[in-house]
Amino acid sequence: MAQRPVAGKRPGTRIALILLCLLTLLSLAGCASPGGEVQRRVDSGIAGNWVVVQRGDTLGNIAARADVPLARLQRFNPDANPNRLAVGQRLLVPTQRERAPSGGPYRYQIRPGDTFSAVARRFNTTPSRIQSANPGVAPTRLRVGQIVQVPLRGSTGTVAATSSGGRSSGGSTSVPARAAAPSAAPSSVPSSARNWPWPLEDYRIVRSYGTDSHGTLQPMLLATSRGARAKAVADGDVRFAGSMRQLGRVIIVHHANNLQSVYALCDKLLVDDGTRVSRGTPLCEIGFSNATERFDLLFDMRLGGKPIDPRRVLR
């Protein structure tokens, strides 16, 4: 006598369930290693290099891809906010050879273009401390791949200033001590500082130099278009080319007669620290601000380190 199907389940249904179970088992087997452990996707090519943050990236998944501890990745990127990574932001991924204990010294691998000054700025220390920690290393003969010790020190003082053009959604910009804005401005500027060109060819002043409603002195903010490049307003020497907390990438140029020009919120730097530039030399590409949804350049002029209104110098 022919067997009857179990009540409530047709033969086709049972076959479908069996196939589903088989597919599930096969997929699990494909994700497992021979030892039964789930494999992680490791991209060894990013270790030791800079990576550009993509939509959906977190410090955690970047650390997992590079197979390095999350704490080490965070300490190699002290300016990165782990809760607010920006698409397009660049992060330095450490290698397995490098170490970053909380109190230092860091074990750091020299990369192309590195100098003791650049490494010191990145980790908030000084070139002299790095030199003292590496007595047998000639700072003018650094080799790519060479391991050096980077001793740390306490963070430098900062002055908080509110900025509508900052990259932080809260609008707060922490200005490092070397770029902090004292309240007193010089009463006069050198006669040579007249009719300098503006740093952008196509721009709109969205915030003038001056104090805000809270009495905080604010630098000038210029809106421009995609692909715009900031240019040197006069001949000078690049004394800083790197990242500053909340200001993105920054260029500081020193000119004759103790004048300085500052270009912040940049996306890509086009010159290096120590470069001699002429008036009109492209310095950086302007970055996109998520806070203002514009391409903004924060531009500042200094005389002896004290801020002055750029309109007193620019034509």
Side-chain angles (χ1 to χ4, degrees):
M1 183 175 61
Q3 291 183 344
R4 298 176 59 188
V6 177
K9 289 188 178 180
R10 293 177 296 174
T13 303
R14 285 189 296 169
I15 293 173
L17 289 173
I18 291 171
L19 288 173
L20 179 61
C21 290
L22 286 173
L23 287 172
T24 302
L25 289 172
L26 287 171
S27 64
L28 288 175
C31 294
S33 64
E37 297 179 352
V38 177
Q39 293 179 336
R40 291 189 303 169
R41 182 173 70 90
V42 176
D43 183 359
S44 59
I46 68 173
N49 296 314
W50 291 88
V51 298
V52 178
V53 174
Q54 307 294 324
R55 188 174 301 278
D57 276 347
T58 65
L59 283 180
N61 64 34
I62 294 174
R65 285 167 52 199
D67 197 24
V68 298
L70 174 59
R72 190 184 306 170
L73 178 63
Q74 289 177 312
R75 290 170 185 157
F76 264 66
N77 297 275
D79 292 334
N81 183 342
N83 300 316
R84 195 176 286 162
L85 292 183
V87 173
Q89 182 178 359
R90 295 172 73 245
L91 300 175
L92 180 60
V93 181
T95 65
Q96 294 289 345
R97 302 174 62 200
E98 295 174 297
R99 295 291 183 270
S102 59
Y106 285 6
R107 179 180 167 91
Y108 178 81
Q109 179 176 312
I110 296 297
R111 290 163 170 81
D114 271 346
T115 63
F116 276 175
S117 295
V119 175
R121 283 194 301 271
R122 179 165 190 81
F123 296 115
N124 192 28
T125 185
T126 64
S128 60
R129 288 176 65 87
I130 298 178
Q131 182 62 72
S132 297
N134 300 273
V137 177
T140 58
R141 296 182 181 179
L142 297 179
R143 303 186 311 276
V144 174
Q146 184 177 9
I147 296 295
V148 297
Q149 301 293 319
V150 181
L152 306 182
R153 68 174 183 181
S155 59
T156 57
T158 60
V159 176
T162 302
S163 170
S164 62
R167 294 182 185 271
S168 168
S169 60
S172 176
T173 302
S174 295
V175 184
R178 69 183 299 167
S183 58
S187 58
S188 61
V189 295
S191 58
S192 60
R194 294 287 188 275
N195 297 319
W196 287 6
W198 285 74
L200 294 168
E201 294 180 357
D202 179 23
Y203 64 90
R204 175 169 56 94
I205 300 176
V206 292
R207 186 181 66 203
S208 298
Y209 169 91
T211 55
D212 60 16
S213 58
H214 302 287
T216 303
L217 186 61
Q218 297 289 352
M220 179 177 284
L221 194 66
L222 306 175
T224 186
S225 56
R226 181 189 299 272
R229 294 181 171 188
K231 298 180 180 180
V233 295
D235 298 351
D237 297 303
V238 176
R239 296 290 179 85
F240 181 86
S243 297
M244 289 187 179
R245 190 168 286 116
Q246 301 300 330
L247 291 178
R249 293 177 178 81
V250 179
I251 297 285
I252 300 178
V253 180
H254 281 230
H255 310 284
N257 298 313
N258 209 15
L259 282 157
Q260 302 90 34
S261 56
V262 181
Y263 314 75
L265 303 181
C266 297
D267 180 49
K268 179 181 179 182
L269 302 183
L270 304 176
V271 293
D272 297 321
D273 195 350
T275 303
R276 177 69 181 176
V277 297
S278 302
R279 174 184 294 190
T281 299
L283 302 176
C284 69
E285 293 182 1
I286 309 305
F288 181 78
S289 169
N290 292 323
T292 63
E293 297 186 344
R294 294 188 307 256
F295 290 88
D296 289 339
L297 172 70
L298 187 151
F299 180 71
D300 200 16
M301 289 292 305
R302 306 292 176 103
L303 177 57
K306 295 182 178 181
I308 60 175
D309 189 341
R311 294 188 192 216
R312 298 172 61 183
V313 176
L314 307 181
R315 57 173 176 251

mmCIF file with all atom_site columns, all heavy atoms in Angstrom, residues 15 63 66 80 86 89 96 105 115 140 157 174 199 207 227 251 272 276 293 302:
data_model
loop_
_atom_site.group_PDB
_atom_site.id
_atom_site.type_symbol
_atom_site.label_atom_id
_atom_site.label_alt_id
_atom_site.label_comp_id
_atom_site.label_asym_id
_atom_site.label_entity_id
_atom_site.label_seq_id
_atom_site.pdbx_PDB_ins_code
_atom_site.Cartn_x
_atom_site.Cartn_y
_atom_site.Cartn_z
_atom_site.occupancy
_atom_site.B_iso_or_equiv
_atom_site.pdbx_formal_charge
_atom_site.auth_seq_id
_atom_site.auth_comp_id
_atom_site.auth_asym_id
_atom_site.auth_atom_id
_atom_site.pdbx_PDB_model_num
ATOM 1   N N   . ILE A 1 15  ? 10.634 18.823 0.268  1.00 0.00 ? 15  ILE A N   1
ATOM 2   C CA  . ILE A 1 15  ? 11.816 18.912 -0.596 1.00 0.00 ? 15  ILE A CA  1
ATOM 3   C C   . ILE A 1 15  ? 12.423 20.320 -0.544 1.00 0.00 ? 15  ILE A C   1
ATOM 4   O O   . ILE A 1 15  ? 13.640 20.505 -0.473 1.00 0.00 ? 15  ILE A O   1
ATOM 5   C CB  . ILE A 1 15  ? 11.448 18.530 -2.041 1.00 0.00 ? 15  ILE A CB  1
ATOM 6   C CG1 . ILE A 1 15  ? 11.085 17.041 -2.111 1.00 0.00 ? 15  ILE A CG1 1
ATOM 7   C CG2 . ILE A 1 15  ? 12.601 18.839 -3.002 1.00 0.00 ? 15  ILE A CG2 1
ATOM 8   C CD1 . ILE A 1 15  ? 10.537 16.617 -3.456 1.00 0.00 ? 15  ILE A CD1 1
ATOM 9   N N   . ALA A 1 63  ? 40.609 48.589 11.241 1.00 0.00 ? 63  ALA A N   1
ATOM 10  C CA  . ALA A 1 63  ? 41.591 47.849 12.044 1.00 0.00 ? 63  ALA A CA  1
ATOM 11  C C   . ALA A 1 63  ? 41.507 46.354 11.760 1.00 0.00 ? 63  ALA A C   1
ATOM 12  O O   . ALA A 1 63  ? 42.532 45.665 11.671 1.00 0.00 ? 63  ALA A O   1
ATOM 13  C CB  . ALA A 1 63  ? 41.356 48.127 13.531 1.00 0.00 ? 63  ALA A CB  1
ATOM 14  N N   . ALA A 1 66  ? 43.123 45.519 8.429  1.00 0.00 ? 66  ALA A N   1
ATOM 15  C CA  . ALA A 1 66  ? 44.589 45.580 8.488  1.00 0.00 ? 66  ALA A CA  1
ATOM 16  C C   . ALA A 1 66  ? 45.166 44.569 9.470  1.00 0.00 ? 66  ALA A C   1
ATOM 17  O O   . ALA A 1 66  ? 46.387 44.389 9.518  1.00 0.00 ? 66  ALA A O   1
ATOM 18  C CB  . ALA A 1 66  ? 45.036 46.983 8.887  1.00 0.00 ? 66  ALA A CB  1
ATOM 19  N N   . ALA A 1 80  ? 41.725 61.861 14.583 1.00 0.00 ? 80  ALA A N   1
ATOM 20  C CA  . ALA A 1 80  ? 40.499 61.240 14.057 1.00 0.00 ? 80  ALA A CA  1
ATOM 21  C C   . ALA A 1 80  ? 39.496 61.034 15.188 1.00 0.00 ? 80  ALA A C   1
ATOM 22  O O   . ALA A 1 80  ? 39.838 60.490 16.240 1.00 0.00 ? 80  ALA A O   1
ATOM 23  C CB  . ALA A 1 80  ? 40.823 59.914 13.387 1.00 0.00 ? 80  ALA A CB  1
ATOM 24  N N   . ALA A 1 86  ? 34.858 61.133 8.630  1.00 0.00 ? 86  ALA A N   1
ATOM 25  C CA  . ALA A 1 86  ? 34.329 61.832 7.456  1.00 0.00 ? 86  ALA A CA  1
ATOM 26  C C   . ALA A 1 86  ? 34.726 61.079 6.191  1.00 0.00 ? 86  ALA A C   1
ATOM 27  O O   . ALA A 1 86  ? 35.869 60.638 6.058  1.00 0.00 ? 86  ALA A O   1
ATOM 28  C CB  . ALA A 1 86  ? 34.851 63.269 7.408  1.00 0.00 ? 86  ALA A CB  1
ATOM 29  N N   . GLN A 1 89  ? 38.247 61.282 4.451  1.00 0.00 ? 89  GLN A N   1
ATOM 30  C CA  . GLN A 1 89  ? 39.303 61.504 5.436  1.00 0.00 ? 89  GLN A CA  1
ATOM 31  C C   . GLN A 1 89  ? 40.398 60.455 5.275  1.00 0.00 ? 89  GLN A C   1
ATOM 32  O O   . GLN A 1 89  ? 40.132 59.307 4.962  1.00 0.00 ? 89  GLN A O   1
ATOM 33  C CB  . GLN A 1 89  ? 38.695 61.407 6.840  1.00 0.00 ? 89  GLN A CB  1
ATOM 34  C CG  . GLN A 1 89  ? 39.644 61.659 7.990  1.00 0.00 ? 89  GLN A CG  1
ATOM 35  C CD  . GLN A 1 89  ? 38.924 61.591 9.335  1.00 0.00 ? 89  GLN A CD  1
ATOM 36  O OE1 . GLN A 1 89  ? 37.711 61.377 9.390  1.00 0.00 ? 89  GLN A OE1 1
ATOM 37  N NE2 . GLN A 1 89  ? 39.648 61.772 10.414 1.00 0.00 ? 89  GLN A NE2 1
ATOM 38  N N   . GLN A 1 96  ? 52.363 45.655 11.440 1.00 0.00 ? 96  GLN A N   1
ATOM 39  C CA  . GLN A 1 96  ? 52.554 44.729 12.549 1.00 0.00 ? 96  GLN A CA  1
ATOM 40  C C   . GLN A 1 96  ? 53.850 45.045 13.315 1.00 0.00 ? 96  GLN A C   1
ATOM 41  O O   . GLN A 1 96  ? 53.968 44.703 14.496 1.00 0.00 ? 96  GLN A O   1
ATOM 42  C CB  . GLN A 1 96  ? 52.609 43.292 12.013 1.00 0.00 ? 96  GLN A CB  1
ATOM 43  C CG  . GLN A 1 96  ? 51.308 42.795 11.403 1.00 0.00 ? 96  GLN A CG  1
ATOM 44  C CD  . GLN A 1 96  ? 50.232 42.554 12.449 1.00 0.00 ? 96  GLN A CD  1
ATOM 45  O OE1 . GLN A 1 96  ? 50.531 42.495 13.639 1.00 0.00 ? 96  GLN A OE1 1
ATOM 46  N NE2 . GLN A 1 96  ? 48.995 42.434 12.004 1.00 0.00 ? 96  GLN A NE2 1
ATOM 47  N N   . PRO A 1 105 ? 57.178 55.118 24.603 1.00 0.00 ? 105 PRO A N   1
ATOM 48  C CA  . PRO A 1 105 ? 57.352 55.683 23.257 1.00 0.00 ? 105 PRO A CA  1
ATOM 49  C C   . PRO A 1 105 ? 56.736 54.794 22.182 1.00 0.00 ? 105 PRO A C   1
ATOM 50  O O   . PRO A 1 105 ? 56.625 53.588 22.366 1.00 0.00 ? 105 PRO A O   1
ATOM 51  C CB  . PRO A 1 105 ? 58.872 55.752 23.106 1.00 0.00 ? 105 PRO A CB  1
ATOM 52  C CG  . PRO A 1 105 ? 59.369 54.613 23.949 1.00 0.00 ? 105 PRO A CG  1
ATOM 53  C CD  . PRO A 1 105 ? 58.439 54.531 25.118 1.00 0.00 ? 105 PRO A CD  1
ATOM 54  N N   . THR A 1 115 ? 59.954 63.312 7.966  1.00 0.00 ? 115 THR A N   1
ATOM 55  C CA  . THR A 1 115 ? 61.047 63.978 8.665  1.00 0.00 ? 115 THR A CA  1
ATOM 56  C C   . THR A 1 115 ? 60.727 63.894 10.152 1.00 0.00 ? 115 THR A C   1
ATOM 57  O O   . THR A 1 115 ? 59.584 63.623 10.534 1.00 0.00 ? 115 THR A O   1
ATOM 58  C CB  . THR A 1 115 ? 61.172 65.457 8.257  1.00 0.00 ? 115 THR A CB  1
ATOM 59  O OG1 . THR A 1 115 ? 59.960 66.151 8.649  1.00 0.00 ? 115 THR A OG1 1
ATOM 60  C CG2 . THR A 1 115 ? 61.370 65.610 6.745  1.00 0.00 ? 115 THR A CG2 1
ATOM 61  N N   . THR A 1 140 ? 68.774 63.557 8.778  1.00 0.00 ? 140 THR A N   1
ATOM 62  C CA  . THR A 1 140 ? 68.834 63.904 7.351  1.00 0.00 ? 140 THR A CA  1
ATOM 63  C C   . THR A 1 140 ? 69.017 62.679 6.464  1.00 0.00 ? 140 THR A C   1
ATOM 64  O O   . THR A 1 140 ? 69.069 62.801 5.244  1.00 0.00 ? 140 THR A O   1
ATOM 65  C CB  . THR A 1 140 ? 69.985 64.897 7.096  1.00 0.00 ? 140 THR A CB  1
ATOM 66  O OG1 . THR A 1 140 ? 71.215 64.298 7.545  1.00 0.00 ? 140 THR A OG1 1
ATOM 67  C CG2 . THR A 1 140 ? 69.745 66.201 7.827  1.00 0.00 ? 140 THR A CG2 1
ATOM 68  N N   . GLY A 1 157 ? 48.600 73.378 24.823 1.00 0.00 ? 157 GLY A N   1
ATOM 69  C CA  . GLY A 1 157 ? 47.399 74.147 25.084 1.00 0.00 ? 157 GLY A CA  1
ATOM 70  C C   . GLY A 1 157 ? 46.710 74.568 23.809 1.00 0.00 ? 157 GLY A C   1
ATOM 71  O O   . GLY A 1 157 ? 47.338 74.762 22.785 1.00 0.00 ? 157 GLY A O   1
ATOM 72  N N   . SER A 1 174 ? 38.872 73.741 17.474 1.00 0.00 ? 174 SER A N   1
ATOM 73  C CA  . SER A 1 174 ? 39.973 73.879 18.404 1.00 0.00 ? 174 SER A CA  1
ATOM 74  C C   . SER A 1 174 ? 41.191 74.329 17.631 1.00 0.00 ? 174 SER A C   1
ATOM 75  O O   . SER A 1 174 ? 41.682 73.611 16.766 1.00 0.00 ? 174 SER A O   1
ATOM 76  C CB  . SER A 1 174 ? 40.257 72.538 19.093 1.00 0.00 ? 174 SER A CB  1
ATOM 77  O OG  . SER A 1 174 ? 39.163 72.177 19.886 1.00 0.00 ? 174 SER A OG  1
ATOM 78  N N   . PRO A 1 199 ? 43.590 84.578 -1.995 1.00 0.00 ? 199 PRO A N   1
ATOM 79  C CA  . PRO A 1 199 ? 44.082 83.200 -2.147 1.00 0.00 ? 199 PRO A CA  1
ATOM 80  C C   . PRO A 1 199 ? 43.268 82.357 -3.131 1.00 0.00 ? 199 PRO A C   1
ATOM 81  O O   . PRO A 1 199 ? 43.719 81.287 -3.535 1.00 0.00 ? 199 PRO A O   1
ATOM 82  C CB  . PRO A 1 199 ? 43.977 82.633 -0.728 1.00 0.00 ? 199 PRO A CB  1
ATOM 83  C CG  . PRO A 1 199 ? 42.889 83.433 -0.082 1.00 0.00 ? 199 PRO A CG  1
ATOM 84  C CD  . PRO A 1 199 ? 43.031 84.815 -0.648 1.00 0.00 ? 199 PRO A CD  1
ATOM 85  N N   . ARG A 1 207 ? 32.042 84.671 5.810  1.00 0.00 ? 207 ARG A N   1
ATOM 86  C CA  . ARG A 1 207 ? 32.250 85.179 7.163  1.00 0.00 ? 207 ARG A CA  1
ATOM 87  C C   . ARG A 1 207 ? 33.437 86.119 7.134  1.00 0.00 ? 207 ARG A C   1
ATOM 88  O O   . ARG A 1 207 ? 34.543 85.735 6.744  1.00 0.00 ? 207 ARG A O   1
ATOM 89  C CB  . ARG A 1 207 ? 32.509 84.047 8.165  1.00 0.00 ? 207 ARG A CB  1
ATOM 90  C CG  . ARG A 1 207 ? 32.592 84.559 9.618  1.00 0.00 ? 207 ARG A CG  1
ATOM 91  C CD  . ARG A 1 207 ? 32.884 83.431 10.586 1.00 0.00 ? 207 ARG A CD  1
ATOM 92  N NE  . ARG A 1 207 ? 34.216 82.875 10.366 1.00 0.00 ? 207 ARG A NE  1
ATOM 93  C CZ  . ARG A 1 207 ? 34.572 81.650 10.720 1.00 0.00 ? 207 ARG A CZ  1
ATOM 94  N NH1 . ARG A 1 207 ? 33.697 80.838 11.265 1.00 0.00 ? 207 ARG A NH1 1
ATOM 95  N NH2 . ARG A 1 207 ? 35.805 81.223 10.508 1.00 0.00 ? 207 ARG A NH2 1
ATOM 96  N N   . GLY A 1 227 ? 37.038 71.680 -6.682 1.00 0.00 ? 227 GLY A N   1
ATOM 97  C CA  . GLY A 1 227 ? 38.280 71.673 -7.445 1.00 0.00 ? 227 GLY A CA  1
ATOM 98  C C   . GLY A 1 227 ? 39.117 72.929 -7.292 1.00 0.00 ? 227 GLY A C   1
ATOM 99  O O   . GLY A 1 227 ? 40.207 73.011 -7.877 1.00 0.00 ? 227 GLY A O   1
ATOM 100 N N   . ILE A 1 251 ? 47.966 74.803 5.805  1.00 0.00 ? 251 ILE A N   1
ATOM 101 C CA  . ILE A 1 251 ? 49.244 75.333 5.305  1.00 0.00 ? 251 ILE A CA  1
ATOM 102 C C   . ILE A 1 251 ? 49.497 76.672 6.005  1.00 0.00 ? 251 ILE A C   1
ATOM 103 O O   . ILE A 1 251 ? 48.607 77.524 6.063  1.00 0.00 ? 251 ILE A O   1
ATOM 104 C CB  . ILE A 1 251 ? 49.205 75.582 3.781  1.00 0.00 ? 251 ILE A CB  1
ATOM 105 C CG1 . ILE A 1 251 ? 48.997 74.268 3.008  1.00 0.00 ? 251 ILE A CG1 1
ATOM 106 C CG2 . ILE A 1 251 ? 50.471 76.286 3.321  1.00 0.00 ? 251 ILE A CG2 1
ATOM 107 C CD1 . ILE A 1 251 ? 50.200 73.384 2.945  1.00 0.00 ? 251 ILE A CD1 1
ATOM 108 N N   . ASP A 1 272 ? 55.018 70.801 0.522  1.00 0.00 ? 272 ASP A N   1
ATOM 109 C CA  . ASP A 1 272 ? 55.528 70.169 1.737  1.00 0.00 ? 272 ASP A CA  1
ATOM 110 C C   . ASP A 1 272 ? 56.086 71.217 2.694  1.00 0.00 ? 272 ASP A C   1
ATOM 111 O O   . ASP A 1 272 ? 56.416 72.345 2.300  1.00 0.00 ? 272 ASP A O   1
ATOM 112 C CB  . ASP A 1 272 ? 56.628 69.163 1.396  1.00 0.00 ? 272 ASP A CB  1
ATOM 113 C CG  . ASP A 1 272 ? 56.125 68.024 0.538  1.00 0.00 ? 272 ASP A CG  1
ATOM 114 O OD1 . ASP A 1 272 ? 54.992 67.560 0.779  1.00 0.00 ? 272 ASP A OD1 1
ATOM 115 O OD2 . ASP A 1 272 ? 56.859 67.604 -0.382 1.00 0.00 ? 272 ASP A OD2 1
ATOM 116 N N   . ARG A 1 276 ? 59.846 76.472 -0.502 1.00 0.00 ? 276 ARG A N   1
ATOM 117 C CA  . ARG A 1 276 ? 59.864 77.898 -0.834 1.00 0.00 ? 276 ARG A CA  1
ATOM 118 C C   . ARG A 1 276 ? 58.824 78.116 -1.923 1.00 0.00 ? 276 ARG A C   1
ATOM 119 O O   . ARG A 1 276 ? 58.843 77.453 -2.959 1.00 0.00 ? 276 ARG A O   1
ATOM 120 C CB  . ARG A 1 276 ? 61.242 78.323 -1.330 1.00 0.00 ? 276 ARG A CB  1
ATOM 121 C CG  . ARG A 1 276 ? 61.352 79.783 -1.782 1.00 0.00 ? 276 ARG A CG  1
ATOM 122 C CD  . ARG A 1 276 ? 61.234 80.735 -0.618 1.00 0.00 ? 276 ARG A CD  1
ATOM 123 N NE  . ARG A 1 276 ? 61.311 82.136 -1.057 1.00 0.00 ? 276 ARG A NE  1
ATOM 124 C CZ  . ARG A 1 276 ? 61.152 83.165 -0.234 1.00 0.00 ? 276 ARG A CZ  1
ATOM 125 N NH1 . ARG A 1 276 ? 60.922 82.958 1.063  1.00 0.00 ? 276 ARG A NH1 1
ATOM 126 N NH2 . ARG A 1 276 ? 61.235 84.402 -0.680 1.00 0.00 ? 276 ARG A NH2 1
ATOM 127 N N   . GLU A 1 293 ? 28.020 72.286 3.994  1.00 0.00 ? 293 GLU A N   1
ATOM 128 C CA  . GLU A 1 293 ? 27.699 71.752 2.661  1.00 0.00 ? 293 GLU A CA  1
ATOM 129 C C   . GLU A 1 293 ? 28.233 72.668 1.559  1.00 0.00 ? 293 GLU A C   1
ATOM 130 O O   . GLU A 1 293 ? 27.572 72.934 0.557  1.00 0.00 ? 293 GLU A O   1
ATOM 131 C CB  . GLU A 1 293 ? 26.185 71.533 2.511  1.00 0.00 ? 293 GLU A CB  1
ATOM 132 C CG  . GLU A 1 293 ? 25.637 70.494 3.484  1.00 0.00 ? 293 GLU A CG  1
ATOM 133 C CD  . GLU A 1 293 ? 24.170 70.182 3.235  1.00 0.00 ? 293 GLU A CD  1
ATOM 134 O OE1 . GLU A 1 293 ? 23.516 70.971 2.521  1.00 0.00 ? 293 GLU A OE1 1
ATOM 135 O OE2 . GLU A 1 293 ? 23.698 69.164 3.740  1.00 0.00 ? 293 GLU A OE2 1
ATOM 136 N N   . ARG A 1 302 ? 48.492 86.902 9.703  1.00 0.00 ? 302 ARG A N   1
ATOM 137 C CA  . ARG A 1 302 ? 49.121 87.215 10.988 1.00 0.00 ? 302 ARG A CA  1
ATOM 138 C C   . ARG A 1 302 ? 50.298 88.158 10.787 1.00 0.00 ? 302 ARG A C   1
ATOM 139 O O   . ARG A 1 302 ? 50.981 88.105 9.763  1.00 0.00 ? 302 ARG A O   1
ATOM 140 C CB  . ARG A 1 302 ? 49.632 85.938 11.665 1.00 0.00 ? 302 ARG A CB  1
ATOM 141 C CG  . ARG A 1 302 ? 48.584 84.833 11.848 1.00 0.00 ? 302 ARG A CG  1
ATOM 142 C CD  . ARG A 1 302 ? 47.542 85.248 12.855 1.00 0.00 ? 302 ARG A CD  1
ATOM 143 N NE  . ARG A 1 302 ? 46.493 84.271 12.990 1.00 0.00 ? 302 ARG A NE  1
ATOM 144 C CZ  . ARG A 1 302 ? 46.384 83.417 13.996 1.00 0.00 ? 302 ARG A CZ  1
ATOM 145 N NH1 . ARG A 1 302 ? 47.299 83.416 14.944 1.00 0.00 ? 302 ARG A NH1 1
ATOM 146 N NH2 . ARG A 1 302 ? 45.367 82.584 14.057 1.00 0.00 ? 302 ARG A NH2 1
#
